[in-house]
Amino acid sequence: MTKQKEELEHRLKLRNIKLSDYDDIRDIMVSIYKDQGGAWTRQELKNQIKAFPEGQICIEDNGKVVAAALSLVVDYSKFGDNHTYDQITGFGKFDTHDNEGDTLYGTDVFVHKEYRGMRLGRRLYDARKELCENLNLRSIIAGGRIPGYSKYYDQMTPRKYIDLVKSKEIFDPVLSFQLANEFHVRKVITKYLPEDTDSRAYATLLEWINIYYEKDEKLIGNKKSIVRLGLVQWKMRRFNNVDDLMQQVEFFVDTVSGYKSDFCLLPEFFNAPLLAEFNDMDASEAIRNLADYTDEIVTRMRDLALSYNVNIIAGSMPEYDGKKLRNVSYLCRRDGTIDKQYKLHITPDEQSYWGLQGGNGIKVFDTDAGKIGILICYDVEFPELGRILAEQEMDILFVPFWTDTKNAFLRVNTCAKARAVENECYVAITGSVGNLPRVENMDIQYSQAAIYSPSDFSFPHDATVAQASENAETTIVADVDLDLLTKQRKAGSVRNLEQRRLDLYSVQLKKKK
């Protein structure tokens, strides 16, 4: 390799600033800030490195510093939004740095003029974000210059100028870059840098929120990031009594618990084999008799949840109060508490054969492994319900279903995939397989259990976390990462929840009168 070629070859390295870098940093600052005070002195840079060495970052090329970013940690409540640059930096001494603070404050970012266009500023911003996350700080805040405003100050207010930059009607060399790096403008401040004539002494107060910030870290009992799901693809078979049924349930609960699952999901009407006991009755009478077993099964499910340390979504079962017959899914938490979700939409077949009626409410359930929602079978085909749950910060949607034919299954399956994408959540579905001779309206089954995710770079390429074989009794055990949902909602390629046009439409659950 020739000497000339070696000189042209870039060798970029991101690292922390050393005092020996001062001459390179001074040269860059003088060329950029000659009208705004020039460069830090060597002593000031020494003080900044001593106060917070981790926050002083640079990029070198072949040993020469070509870009840098400086920052400190502050207790932001001591300064508030109306601070000046000199106040928050201690006039450049960084004696305002507070190791117990909650905010990473960005003081400077600068790039050598010959390296403009190489996106080095973006690398420095990304490094700052990583530092903020690793230090578990609430956010990054910075005062931003708006040098392009000098061309428009006699035509519009700073706020109007900022709005036009946001909508890309105007390009500002500083603000446009900061907005592109996920910062938002909290407010306009005045006299932040009085010598900044290009910005007319105005500045933007910018903030980047650390979505992973945890205010109170605990040694145990923290919110889980990785959640393990266990899905049971259940085979319909004859059971002589509830004891036989629960023996099979316990087998599967034991199985998924053995893999340390946080949840065990059973299908809709998993207890339907007990209908065989009433096969001499009319279908509507038989299902009401089956409902007599529901309380006992729920109690035994709760005991299994406790003894096997797993949250159980008990598929669904009929519930009859003497006036109304409903289809209900019980959540039996491993702390011993119980909740339930009624099926809201009743299929024409369920109505005509059994006289089922829909419930009147829907909510998100808090668990020790995230916020979950439950939609029983047909309910997942109504996108409004998933959106209502997503607005309550649901992480995982569980869908116990029962379908007889493949086309019926495909309706549930396709809609489940859509709910995962549009609501930026995980969706777990499972049904039953096999057949039940001599049980009217429950004779054949079709299922392929699965776990679906949003469709973006952080998730599986086909948005399928796991999938069972069709029509075979089996289980799925797979992990889902809740932190990826947080990342998706704030920084995904598309952000379905964040970018809804709430000025045009909304989805609301009416209160039942």
Side-chain angles (χ1 to χ4, degrees):
M1 183 181 293
T2 66
K3 183 178 181 180
Q4 183 180 13
K5 188 172 182 180
E6 286 181 350
E7 290 174 351
L8 293 174
E9 189 176 73
H10 292 295
R11 295 178 182 175
L12 300 180
K13 180 180 179 181
L14 179 74
R15 61 171 174 82
N16 289 113
I17 293 173
K18 300 174 290 188
L19 188 58
S20 58
D21 298 318
Y22 176 73
D23 290 342
D24 291 341
I25 290 173
R26 180 198 59 206
D27 291 345
I28 302 171
M29 293 188 73
V30 168
S31 68
I32 295 173
Y33 299 137
K34 59 183 178 181
D35 297 325
Q36 286 90 39
W40 296 111
T41 66
R42 182 182 291 273
Q43 185 60 46
E44 285 171 331
L45 182 63
K46 183 178 179 179
N47 292 339
Q48 293 161 2
I49 295 173
K50 182 179 179 181
F52 184 38
E54 300 89 347
Q56 319 319 322
I57 305 165
C58 70
I59 296 174
E60 69 169 45
D61 185 16
N62 290 301
K64 180 181 177 66
V65 173
V66 296
L70 309 178
S71 62
L72 67 158
V73 176
V74 297
D75 179 350
Y76 193 70
S77 64
K78 293 180 179 179
F79 298 93
D81 287 348
N82 294 316
H83 61 269
T84 67
Y85 184 85
D86 286 338
Q87 287 171 342
I88 206 157
T89 65
F91 292 89
K93 298 189 296 291
F94 279 24
D95 55 8
T96 51
H97 174 74
D98 184 353
N99 285 321
E100 302 302 317
D102 62 351
T103 300
L104 184 68
Y105 195 90
T107 63
D108 288 281
V109 174
F110 42 85
V111 178
H112 195 289
K113 290 182 178 180
E114 293 180 6
Y115 285 78
R116 302 282 172 84
M118 293 181 63
R119 298 177 181 264
L120 300 189
R122 184 179 294 274
R123 294 195 194 194
L124 292 169
Y125 268 55
D126 288 344
R128 268 188 182 167
K129 293 173 185 177
E130 182 181 3
L131 179 63
C132 182
E133 291 171 358
N134 290 338
L135 292 177
N136 189 39
L137 300 175
R138 182 180 59 81
S139 65
I140 301 174
I141 287 181
R145 300 174 60 234
I146 45 174
Y149 181 58
S150 60
K151 299 177 183 178
Y152 299 92
Y153 79 96
D154 58 350
Q155 304 172 35
M156 62 186 73
T157 64
R159 183 163 298 281
K160 178 64 175 177
Y161 175 80
I162 291 168
D163 288 340
L164 289 174
V165 174
K166 285 181 179 179
S167 61
K168 300 188 184 300
E169 298 295 332
I170 293 176
F171 175 79
D172 184 277
V174 176
L175 180 57
S176 295
F177 170 77
Q178 292 165 328
L179 294 174
N181 279 276
E182 300 174 334
F183 280 74
H184 70 273
V185 179
R186 282 178 58 146
K187 64 175 296 184
V188 178
I189 48 180
T190 58
K191 300 180 181 179
Y192 180 72
L193 283 168
E195 66 273 19
D196 184 6
T197 55
D198 286 342
S199 304
R200 297 290 162 170
Y202 290 105
T204 56
L205 188 66
L206 297 144
E207 183 174 34
W208 176 83
I209 301 294
N210 176 14
I211 58 178
Y212 302 115
Y213 172 62
E214 293 285 348
K215 184 176 181 180
D216 297 308
E217 291 190 284
K218 298 181 290 184
L219 295 179
I220 61 173
N222 281 314
K223 177 184 176 182
K224 295 173 79 67
S225 171
I226 305 298
V227 175
R228 184 159 295 174
L229 309 184
L231 280 57
V232 178
Q233 188 157 274
W234 173 266
K235 182 177 180 179
M236 291 294 191
R237 52 168 64 85
R238 288 292 296 268
F239 294 114
N240 294 321
N241 49 49
V242 174
D243 287 337
D244 283 352
L245 174 79
M246 293 307 299
Q247 184 179 48
Q248 190 68 13
V249 169
E250 184 170 4
F251 165 78
F252 281 113
V253 172
D254 183 18
T255 298
V256 301
S257 173
Y259 292 107
K260 301 188 184 303
S261 296
D262 296 293
F263 292 98
C264 177
L265 174 65
L266 292 163
E268 180 182 25
F269 284 128
F270 70 94
N271 65 337
L274 297 177
L275 279 169
E277 181 183 346
F278 313 112
N279 61 16
D280 58 336
M281 299 180 182
D282 177 83
S284 62
E285 184 180 359
I287 196 75
R288 284 162 175 78
N289 277 275
L290 179 64
D292 291 340
Y293 293 125
T294 296
D295 286 346
E296 179 185 353
I297 293 173
V298 171
T299 299
R300 294 174 71 164
M301 285 284 192
R302 179 203 60 196
D303 294 343
L304 291 177
L306 286 167
S307 59
Y308 286 98
N309 191 31
V310 60
N311 300 297
I312 300 175
I313 295 95
S316 81
M317 293 173 279
E319 179 184 275
Y320 184 55
D321 63 6
K323 296 179 181 179
K324 293 181 179 180
L325 177 70
R326 291 193 174 96
N327 187 358
V328 60
S329 179
Y330 280 89
L331 167 62
C332 300
R333 298 184 184 87
R334 53 186 165 194
D335 65 1
T337 59
I338 296 174
D339 250 313
K340 62 183 177 180
Q341 175 62 59
Y342 288 109
K343 188 173 185 176
L344 304 186
H345 297 90
I346 305 304
T347 66
D349 190 67
E350 291 170 328
Q351 173 61 42
S352 61
Y353 269 90
W354 293 331
L356 273 170
Q357 298 185 44
N360 296 321
I362 187 172
K363 68 174 183 177
V364 164
F365 303 99
D366 287 313
T367 75
D368 59 5
K371 293 178 177 291
I372 72 165
I374 302 172
L375 294 178
I376 302 172
C377 196
Y378 192 33
D379 280 344
V380 80
E381 299 178 31
F382 295 83
E384 300 89 344
L385 299 182
R387 181 49 49 83
I388 289 169
L389 294 173
E391 289 175 342
Q392 299 175 42
E393 301 181 345
M394 171 186 65
D395 298 310
I396 308 169
L397 175 61
F398 289 97
V399 183
F401 69 87
W402 170 80
T403 54
D404 52 355
T405 61
K406 186 171 184 177
N407 61 307
F409 162 74
L410 287 175
R411 289 195 298 268
V412 171
N413 188 61
T414 303
C415 291
K417 291 180 180 180
R419 301 299 85 83
V421 170
E422 67 199 16
N423 297 307
E424 297 169 333
C425 66
Y426 294 104
V427 179
I429 68 170
T430 196
S432 52
V433 302
N435 57 74
L436 282 175
R438 301 177 65 193
V439 174
E440 189 175 2
N441 204 37
M442 296 288 290
D443 45 359
I444 59 174
Q445 329 286 318
Y446 191 102
S447 176
Q448 186 174 26
I451 302 169
Y452 298 118
S453 72
S455 184
D456 211 334
F457 298 115
S458 299
F459 303 96
H461 75 280
D462 58 356
T464 303
V465 177
Q467 194 169 44
S469 300
E470 295 173 283
N471 291 332
E473 185 172 42
T474 187
T475 61
I476 292 178
V477 177
D479 290 342
V480 296
D481 188 340
L482 303 189
D483 281 348
L484 291 182
L485 297 181
T486 304
K487 180 180 178 182
Q488 173 66 27
R489 292 163 184 166
K490 294 296 183 181
S493 298
V494 294
R495 298 185 282 278
N496 297 73
L497 287 177
E498 181 185 281
Q499 296 178 320
R500 286 169 294 150
R501 286 291 304 276
L502 297 179
D503 58 320
L504 296 179
Y505 59 83
S506 63
V507 178
Q508 295 181 331
L509 186 67
K510 295 180 179 179
K511 291 184 178 180
K512 189 73 175 179
K513 294 181 179 180

